[in-house]
């Protein structure tokens, strides 16, 4: 059994200045998108979920969904469902919020955040593998989907048709 000591492994690593990803065809994974390991995808246990996110330059990543201590979700009310939304994950402590110089709240002590369409599958895996309550995050997501349906009717119809959906059932 290989020793796993990271909550994030990626198929590739951040390049110079974190602007690009490199070495994405290597069979070995990178810990935290930076450190080469001798771990392959097959070595990861079931509590790691595959995902893609702009926060890891859209490389394929594998995120540990057990041992999560706290989560939060932020969203923008725009004409796309999850592109600019973020799921913040902490493995060490409760998440803390601070006010920015513009008066907005931001989360400051997360271990990783992910954005995009893999928010729901990651959240459902956290619900399954970690002993935390995700109801507040689900409420925010239900609100976002309801807003999206009401205010971005064409986009909603393109994605989900003319039907009411349970967003969590759509991603199962």
């Amino acid at each position: 059994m290989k020793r796993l000591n990271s909550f994030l492994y990626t198929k590739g690593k951040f390049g110079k200045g974190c602007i690009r990803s490199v070495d994405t065809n290597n069979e070995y994974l990178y810990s935290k998108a930076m450190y080469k390991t001798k771990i392959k995808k097959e070595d990861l246990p079931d509590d790691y979920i595959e995902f893609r996110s702009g926060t890891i330059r859209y490389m394929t990543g594998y995120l540990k969904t057990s041992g999560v201590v706290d989560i939060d979700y932020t969203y923008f009310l725009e004409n796309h469902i999850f592109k600019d939304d973020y799921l913040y994950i902490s493995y060490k402590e409760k998440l803390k919020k601070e006010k920015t110089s513009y008066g907005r709240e931001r989360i400051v002590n997360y271990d990783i955040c992910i954005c995009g369409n893999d928010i729901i599958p990651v959240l459902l895996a956290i619900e399954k593998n970690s002993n935390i309550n995700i109801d507040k995050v689900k409420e925010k997501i239900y609100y976002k989907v309801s807003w999206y349906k009401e205010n971005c009717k064409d986009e909603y119809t393109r994605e989900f048709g003319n039907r009411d959906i349970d967003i969590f059932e759509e991603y199962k």
Side-chain angles (χ1 to χ4, degrees):
M1 180 76 166
K2 304 233 175 171
R3 193 174 119 220
L4 303 175
N5 57 10
S6 181
F7 57 84
L8 171 67
Y9 292 94
T10 55
K11 191 146 178 55
K13 72 179 257 182
F14 288 152
K16 199 172 210 172
C18 294
I19 294 172
R20 60 189 173 89
S21 52
V22 297
D23 200 21
T24 55
N25 292 322
N26 187 337
E27 67 178 320
Y28 293 105
L29 302 177
Y30 285 82
S31 171
K32 297 182 182 173
M34 295 184 295
Y35 309 105
K36 194 170 190 175
T37 70
K38 292 293 182 188
I39 298 168
K40 297 179 183 179
K41 173 186 173 182
E42 308 78 61
D43 298 327
L44 297 174
D46 291 343
D47 62 336
Y48 280 81
I49 185 172
E50 184 175 305
F51 76 105
R52 291 178 64 85
S53 172
T55 58
I56 59 167
R57 310 297 179 256
Y58 296 103
M59 291 183 286
T60 299
Y62 303 92
L63 184 69
K64 183 177 180 181
T65 60
S66 64
V68 174
V69 172
D70 200 12
I71 55 172
D72 204 349
Y73 169 75
T74 60
Y75 56 86
F76 285 95
L77 299 176
E78 298 179 313
N79 66 342
H80 37 72
I81 191 71
F82 294 121
K83 179 181 173 209
D84 294 323
D85 298 358
Y86 290 90
L87 181 66
Y88 295 88
I89 302 168
S90 173
Y91 295 90
K92 298 178 199 121
E93 61 187 337
K94 289 283 187 194
L95 294 170
K96 296 175 189 151
K97 295 178 182 176
E98 290 181 356
K99 292 273 187 195
T100 67
S101 58
Y102 299 105
R104 293 187 54 133
E105 279 190 342
R106 69 178 178 162
I107 298 168
V108 293
N109 64 325
Y110 58 91
D111 292 305
I112 188 168
C113 67
I114 64 163
C115 63
N117 286 333
D118 282 342
I119 287 174
I120 300 292
V122 168
L123 183 62
L124 292 172
I126 289 170
E127 180 179 45
K128 176 183 173 190
N129 294 312
S130 289
N131 190 23
I132 64 169
N133 186 323
I134 67 167
D135 290 345
K136 287 182 181 177
V137 171
K138 279 185 167 183
E139 284 177 26
K140 290 179 181 181
I141 292 172
Y142 281 130
Y143 174 78
K144 167 74 185 269
V145 172
S146 174
W147 180 93
Y148 184 68
K149 180 181 181 189
E150 182 66 31
N151 294 283
C152 302
K153 292 178 172 114
D154 292 341
E155 292 85 354
Y156 180 93
T157 301
R158 254 192 312 280
E159 286 187 60
F160 305 111
N162 290 322
R163 61 192 173 90
D164 289 325
I165 61 157
D166 180 331
I167 194 68
F168 294 97
E169 291 298 319
E170 291 293 312
Y171 281 84
K172 280 189 176 177

